[in-house]
Amino acid sequence: MTGAAWRQELVAAALAAREEAYAPYSGIRVGAALLTREGRLFTGANVENASYGLTICAERVAAVKAVTAGCRDFVAIAVAWNREGFCYPCGACRQVLYEFGPQMRVLVVEASGDYREEALVALLPHAFEK
């Protein structure tokens, strides 16, 4: 993805990934689209479980898919949900993303598709580092 269009492509991919969520308990459907330095795009959706602690967030699904495909340099992620307001990654997801892209950009997306852009380092000050 090149130029400014990558943001819109990432947002669209996150909105599409949201539709694959498995959220029978909360009804909150989250999709993520992760862009790597190589220009590859990985998507993920949240997967809930009756044992709530076993639920996995969309951001971590996308990150694990990227890492297991050999990509370890993250550039940006878009996170979209089916609610009003902006969808921010949880603390655990922020730390996982930081491991592979401390300088990455985070696009937080409302249900309507409107988004704002943040720096991951601003969302996770004083992160654990290698």
Side-chain angles (χ1 to χ4, degrees):
M1 293 183 210
T2 59
W6 67 267
R7 287 174 177 85
Q8 290 299 329
E9 291 179 44
L10 215 56
V11 167
L15 288 166
R18 174 187 71 187
E19 299 309 310
E20 301 305 321
Y22 177 75
Y25 306 103
S26 72
I28 299 172
R29 304 171 65 81
V30 181
L34 176 69
L35 178 63
T36 69
R37 180 80 51 211
E38 301 88 356
R40 294 184 65 187
L41 180 68
F42 294 89
T43 60
N46 61 315
V47 179
E48 293 182 347
N49 191 279
S51 176
Y52 293 136
L54 299 179
T55 294
I56 186 164
C57 300
E59 301 92 310
R60 282 183 279 154
V61 170
V64 168
K65 287 168 70 175
V67 170
T68 58
C71 298
R72 292 178 171 81
D73 192 0
F74 300 172
V75 174
I77 192 167
V79 185
W81 66 347
N82 61 338
R83 299 282 196 261
E84 294 303 316
F86 294 103
C87 183
Y88 283 88
C90 72
C93 287
R94 293 175 195 198
Q95 182 63 49
V96 168
L97 294 171
Y98 190 92
E99 182 78 14
F100 302 100
Q103 299 305 316
M104 71 185 299
R105 307 302 296 173
V106 179
L107 284 66
V108 292
V109 186
E110 290 187 299
S112 67
D114 290 335
Y115 70 93
R116 71 170 52 149
E117 186 173 335
E118 307 273 355
L120 180 59
V121 294
L123 297 178
L124 186 66
H126 312 292
F128 288 96
E129 297 190 64
K130 299 176 194 175

